Amino acid sequence: MTAPSTDPSTPTDWWRSAVIYQVYPRSFADADGDGTGDLRGIADRLDHVARLGADAVWLSPFYPSPQRDGGYDVADYRAVDPQFGTLGDFDALVARAHAIGLRVIVDLVPNHCSSDHADFRAALMAAPGSPERAKFHFRDGRGATGELPPNDWTSMFEGPAWTRVEEADGAPGQWYLHLFDTTQPDWNWDEPTVRADFETTLRFWLDRGADGFRVDVCDAIIKAPGLPDWPHRTKGVVEPVDGVMPPMWDQEGIHEVFRAWRSVLDEYDGDRILCAEAWLSPERAARIVRPDEMHQAFNFSYLEQLWDAGDIRATIDESLAANDAVGAPTTWVLSNHDVMRHASRYGYDGPVELESGVGAGDPQPDRALGLRRARAATALMLALPGSAYLYQGEELGLPEATALPDDVRQDPVWERSGRTIRGRDGCRVPLPWLPDGPSFGFGSAATTWLPQPDDYGRYAVSVQEVDPASTLALYRGLLEARRAWGLGSGSLHWDDAADGVLVFRRGEVLVVANVSGAPVPLPAGELIVASGELDGGSIPADTTVWIVSPASE
């Protein structure tokens, strides 16, 4: 593997074709034996990410936080939570990553903070109309005595998006907005001091060597003037209703903020990047990655696709067209810390609720089918031009933990939904590194912050490293071939194919994804990689192959 350049004096546009590996810090590796992952554990295991063939590692939040929403409730944006280590541990992690050819992306959470944040605590102590409250969305309630929320918005975690406070005199007071949990008040980005403080945060981490930021729910930071009612539910990819975007998503003012951030990053050497998390259609997301705004935006339309050849092809075409129009790379992603792992969701026939979770009493996925399709889907994704994101554990074929006891669940949506939506804990269970021993090699503690399933040892890294047919071996082979054949850049050309089959060319590489339920003929040529075992001259159902097959003249 040829390591990417990390010389800050050498801009490379590396992000246009990068493979970026997401680490959820609580669940990657535990160095201090407390059952929770930490920065030293990540640094100790970075060789795994480098050997996989990734170009960068993205760290989900490691900031001080009460962990009411898995670290996305930030109490201090310019520090490290003691459970994860110290700023010195972060510096050592960055140094180690750069030494082995990996860049480091950190999470920025600009829409909301923790209710433990010093600025929000000050706002609660201050009077209505004060500068402290201006940093958030405090409003008087509706109704005769202000007993009703200021508008009808609902939280993404169920229930109302407003919470009423008790004023200093003990009387019921104003309401504050939180698009997510009650403990996650939304910042008011119309307030200049909020903008200035976040630019300080950007520089803080850039000065420490961060190579960029993944920006959490960035399309929500600006709200429509007046916070008008919105009687429509918004889940998944957000679309306009009757030509109007929801007042809490993708407002025009976000672009001014992104341009300001881009100018900050452009002050630094080394091609630092911004990646937008915005659950928008490809056309709407492309507006965020115009040349003077962010570098990338997650392609959630692709992540949401069912295992259906027609839908997959349509989304690929739509995504490439939208991003090509603004000169930006398209990103591809199948799993992350918020959705059911694709090795499990492909084990169902038909759509699934990506963020709702699965319990022991729910219909269970077909594990063999899910893994077979997941391997094929990954082989298809990694052949597409652009940048790809991988979520920790998917290279092991790790399934969703679908039998977690309900009493260990930590996702706030579990309680806010009246214990009807189990949430995202199933994709966040700590990784297995060894087939046995304490926490399967995750750390020295006998238990972990979320319990690991009893069969996790079969998926361990050390087990798969010696198995040439393992999912880990497949990922390493795919990423090596992707780099060798330059598949992260260039264009894509479709070939004619039977129903349920996707065939496209990437230069001399012919990619065939059999999404149908029956075998199809294997084209002539030299096989580079196959997501599953081939049947003589046929490609079995739910299998993808890459073949060297020069196009005919």
Side-chain angles (χ1 to χ4, degrees), residues 5-11 103 268-272:
S5 168
T6 53
D7 181 350
S9 66
T10 310
R103 299 175 191 265
Y268 288 79
D269 293 331
D271 232 6
R272 320 289 178 99

Side-chain angles (χ1 to χ4, degrees), residues 106 162 297 338 349 432 475 499 512 523 548:
V106 300
W162 295 91
D338 280 334
D349 285 323
Y475 269 70
D499 289 344
V512 183
V548 180

Side-chain angles (χ1 to χ4, degrees), residues 379-425:
L380 169 61
M381 179 185 79
L382 291 175
L384 298 171
S387 181
Y389 279 77
L390 308 177
Y391 178 50
Q392 65 175 44
E394 70 170 84
E395 76 278 13
L396 308 177
L398 208 62
E400 188 85 354
T402 58
L404 285 174
D406 287 341
D407 61 359
V408 305
R409 297 187 183 278
Q410 301 193 25
D411 193 328
V413 74
W414 175 234
E415 296 294 342
R416 286 184 61 84
S417 67
R419 296 196 164 198
T420 60
I421 300 175
R422 288 186 167 83
R424 302 159 294 172
D425 294 315

